[in-house]
Amino acid sequence: MSKTPAPRSELFDGPETPPIEVSDVEQAAGDVSHETLPRPAQTRVIVIANQKGGVGKTTTAVNLAAALGFGGLNVLLIDMDPQGNASTALGVDHRQGIRGTYEVLLDGDAIDWHVVKSQEAPGLWVLPATIDLAAAELELVNVSGRERRLVDSLDDYLNNHSMDYVIFDCPPSLGLLTLNALVAAKEILIPIQCEYYALEGVSQLLRTIDLVKGNLNDALVLSTVVLTMYDGRTRLSSQVADEVRSHFPEETLKTVIPRSVRVSEAPSYGQTVITYHRTSAGGQAYMDAAAEIARQAG
């Protein structure tokens, strides 16, 4: 079924061209130009977190995962959010009853029992989340070793599967789901929107990171900050970007993610912006951001 063309939005995305039609991974690979990205020496395990909602966590997670996949890398995205928006954007079924992250955390299932190949990019795999995860916070409270349920499963998975990147998409909270991801990860990526109160809550997240490092995961480092929803027409976006860079001068990517209609439209088609409209400002920005992140390991 063909897509209905989206409304023109020249202010953000330039002259409108028809969205890319993608029927499968091979078609996407043929239509989307991409460069081969450097492969890390060992698997990079990255948690994308910010307890402030609406900052672009899921959007950043799925588009970076797809961009890395198109760069020739093997990527596993683990959906930790009960809403399952990352699963939706990557075209993966996550209706109630589908087994995925919940069963790994609560039942001790192996990750490779439930991972699904995404058709959004070559080399991209997804562990889906269902609404069942909403109960996991309470159910994990009395479970022995509740903070390590995910890291143990991930270690087993990586011992048997060659992955270049593992990316966690977390809910907007610092509960046990996000804590499991922080314990399993080696790096944290914080998306920060270029709007009022941009740094609100980041200090609390940094305190949580310090607690995790001191007690549960000494290897965790803040490696990347991504500026999202940037509007070059406003002084506010520039001011916020400058403020964030002053706080995180080494970690903040040079690439900024613009406020983009195409980025917002893509999930409604079960796609990332990389395959939905690769040449849009948002699509190009996420490709550039992925390349910048990949070169961090070079």
Side-chain angles (χ1 to χ4, degrees), residues 189-259:
L189 182 154
I190 304 178
I192 299 179
Q193 87 283 26
C194 296
E195 297 179 354
Y196 286 116
Y197 309 121
L199 292 170
E200 185 183 67
V202 172
S203 59
Q204 182 183 349
L205 177 58
L206 295 178
R207 286 194 295 271
T208 300
I209 294 170
D210 288 339
L211 288 172
V212 172
K213 284 176 64 70
N215 296 282
L216 297 166
N217 182 7
D218 287 335
L220 185 65
V221 296
L222 171 58
S223 65
T224 310
V225 173
V226 179
L227 292 165
T228 62
M229 305 179 194
Y230 183 88
D231 185 348
R233 303 169 302 167
T234 68
R235 181 177 300 177
L236 175 62
S237 281
S238 296
Q239 291 173 338
V240 170
D242 290 343
E243 182 180 9
V244 171
R245 293 187 192 282
S246 70
H247 280 82
F248 306 104
E250 301 299 324
E251 297 84 2
T252 306
L253 296 184
K254 294 178 181 178
T255 303
V256 298
I257 309 302
R259 184 176 290 280

Side-chain angles (χ1 to χ4, degrees), residues 5 16 21 24 45 56 66 102 106 111 135 143 168-169 172 202 210 219 224 227 230 241 251 256 268 286 289:
E16 182 175 341
E21 298 288 345
D24 51 32
V45 185
Y102 176 90
L106 272 300
I111 289 175
V143 174
F168 298 106
D169 180 44
V202 172
D210 288 339
T224 310
L227 292 165
Y230 183 88
E251 297 84 2
V256 298
S268 67
Y286 273 115

Side-chain angles (χ1 to χ4, degrees), residues 91-282:
V92 172
D93 191 359
H94 62 99
R95 292 169 296 174
Q96 190 168 15
I98 298 294
R99 300 179 72 82
T101 308
Y102 176 90
E103 286 73 21
V104 170
L105 288 172
L106 272 300
D107 298 340
D109 286 9
I111 289 175
D112 59 1
W113 294 356
H114 306 311
V115 291
V116 179
K117 182 73 175 67
S118 171
Q119 296 302 302
E120 275 299 284
L124 177 56
W125 297 81
V126 180
L127 182 66
T130 68
I131 194 62
D132 292 335
L133 263 183
E137 296 273 7
L138 291 176
E139 294 178 40
L140 281 170
V141 168
N142 295 317
V143 174
S144 176
R146 58 186 178 271
E147 304 93 348
R148 298 192 57 85
R149 302 286 287 185
L150 187 58
V151 67
D152 292 339
S153 294
L154 182 61
D155 286 345
D156 289 342
Y157 181 83
L158 293 178
N159 283 336
N160 298 291
H161 299 81
S162 178
M163 286 289 158
D164 298 302
Y165 286 82
V166 176
I167 295 175
F168 298 106
D169 180 44
C170 294
S173 70
L174 293 177
L176 280 171
L177 293 175
T178 299
L179 182 59
N180 262 268
L182 289 170
V183 172
K186 298 296 187 292
E187 305 176 38
I188 182 167
L189 182 154
I190 304 178
I192 299 179
Q193 87 283 26
C194 296
E195 297 179 354
Y196 286 116
Y197 309 121
L199 292 170
E200 185 183 67
V202 172
S203 59
Q204 182 183 349
L205 177 58
L206 295 178
R207 286 194 295 271
T208 300
I209 294 170
D210 288 339
L211 288 172
V212 172
K213 284 176 64 70
N215 296 282
L216 297 166
N217 182 7
D218 287 335
L220 185 65
V221 296
L222 171 58
S223 65
T224 310
V225 173
V226 179
L227 292 165
T228 62
M229 305 179 194
Y230 183 88
D231 185 348
R233 303 169 302 167
T234 68
R235 181 177 300 177
L236 175 62
S237 281
S238 296
Q239 291 173 338
V240 170
D242 290 343
E243 182 180 9
V244 171
R245 293 187 192 282
S246 70
H247 280 82
F248 306 104
E250 301 299 324
E251 297 84 2
T252 306
L253 296 184
K254 294 178 181 178
T255 303
V256 298
I257 309 302
R259 184 176 290 280
S260 170
V261 172
R262 300 305 189 197
V263 171
S264 300
E265 289 173 344
S268 67
Y269 294 111
Q271 290 182 249
T272 63
V273 73
I274 307 300
T275 54
Y276 174 66
H277 207 297
R278 162 68 176 80
T279 58
S280 68

Side-chain angles (χ1 to χ4, degrees), residues 1-4 21 269:
M1 180 180 295
S2 62
K3 300 180 180 67
T4 301
E21 298 288 345
Y269 294 111

